[in-house]
Amino acid sequence: MAAPMSADRFINALRNEGLTVVEVGAWRTHNRNHKGPWGPVHGVMIHHTVTRGTAYTVELCRTGDEDLPGPLCHGVITKDGRVHLVGYGRANHAGAGDADVLAAVIAEKRLPPDNQTNTDGNRYFYGFECENLGDGEDPWPAVQLDAMARAAAAVCRVHGWTARSVIGHLEWRPGKIDPKGFTMASFRVRVAERLK
């Protein structure tokens, strides 16, 4: 079991991994902690935003909407490779997912198919939303993919996790397709390379 790192340690971990970090408003205290606990943390979840444009994407992930209030993640990774911190604590990003997947993440073993929604993922995962239309055609710039791998590796490095602690939303909750445009297996290889 791992307690979430402090907000200061989080931002320092990202910077130590060579990332350009943008602090958005009072991100350190912007969270959904009043809706339930955050932690123990067990992994990192990667998403795509289904949006275009940095300013719009960051604001949406910070504030959410009337159906799903923000923050919708901890960091937004834009096409230019910058990480915009929009919240810290419990965030509305993972939703309910599969307890068997969580058990595999904790054990750092091969993931089983996600076929149930019986576990609160917002409690257990750090979340990064990555700017992309999610249509399988919108490109993933090399600088963005590199930043995504660095961000995931930064969190794993602090907690002593391997790349098997990094999953996509599509591996957590049935019916989700994000991130689309690359495989999570190939992404975990990138993270593992960073962690060497």
Side-chain angles (χ1 to χ4, degrees):
M1 289 189 11
M5 65 183 104
S6 70
D8 285 341
R9 190 166 187 199
F10 180 59
I11 192 171
N12 288 333
L14 295 172
R15 287 175 171 154
N16 289 342
E17 207 67 38
L19 289 161
T20 299
V21 179
V22 180
E23 299 182 71
V24 182
W27 68 272
R28 285 176 171 83
T29 55
H30 184 47
N31 57 55
R32 304 286 296 161
N33 290 359
H34 63 286
K35 290 295 186 180
W38 189 45
V41 287
H42 298 298
V44 179
M45 192 172 293
I46 303 295
H47 306 264
H48 66 227
T49 59
V50 196
T51 60
R52 183 185 310 242
T54 296
Y56 172 75
T57 298
V58 171
E59 182 59 20
L60 176 66
C61 290
R62 187 180 78 78
T63 60
D65 60 33
E66 61 184 31
D67 294 326
L68 193 66
L72 304 184
C73 60
H74 301 103
V76 182
I77 304 175
T78 48
K79 294 274 192 182
D80 59 7
R82 293 183 297 165
V83 181
H84 303 256
L85 299 183
V86 296
Y88 206 67
R90 184 182 176 90
N92 273 337
H93 73 98
D98 195 315
D100 296 331
V101 172
L102 179 63
V105 170
I106 293 169
E108 297 195 313
K109 295 189 173 175
R110 179 184 286 276
L111 299 177
D114 55 328
N115 57 17
Q116 54 189 346
T117 55
N118 61 358
T119 301
D120 172 17
N122 295 333
R123 176 178 183 175
Y124 297 116
F125 289 94
Y126 294 89
F128 291 99
E129 285 281 358
C130 306
E131 181 190 350
N132 191 277
L133 293 176
D135 58 4
E137 296 179 16
D138 189 15
W140 291 93
V143 67
Q144 185 182 27
L145 284 170
D146 180 63
M148 291 160 58
R150 286 173 185 264
V155 175
C156 290
R157 199 179 303 283
V158 167
H159 288 295
W161 299 333
T162 72
R164 286 201 176 269
S165 292
V166 181
I167 67 172
H169 201 190
L170 77 170
E171 296 173 305
W172 172 245
R173 183 178 173 91
K176 293 296 181 181
I177 64 165
D178 57 314
K180 190 170 185 178
F182 58 88
T183 68
M184 283 306 299
S186 68
F187 185 75
R188 281 187 282 270
V189 169
R190 286 176 176 267
V191 175
E193 287 296 317
R194 288 289 321 161
L195 290 170
K196 281 184 180 176

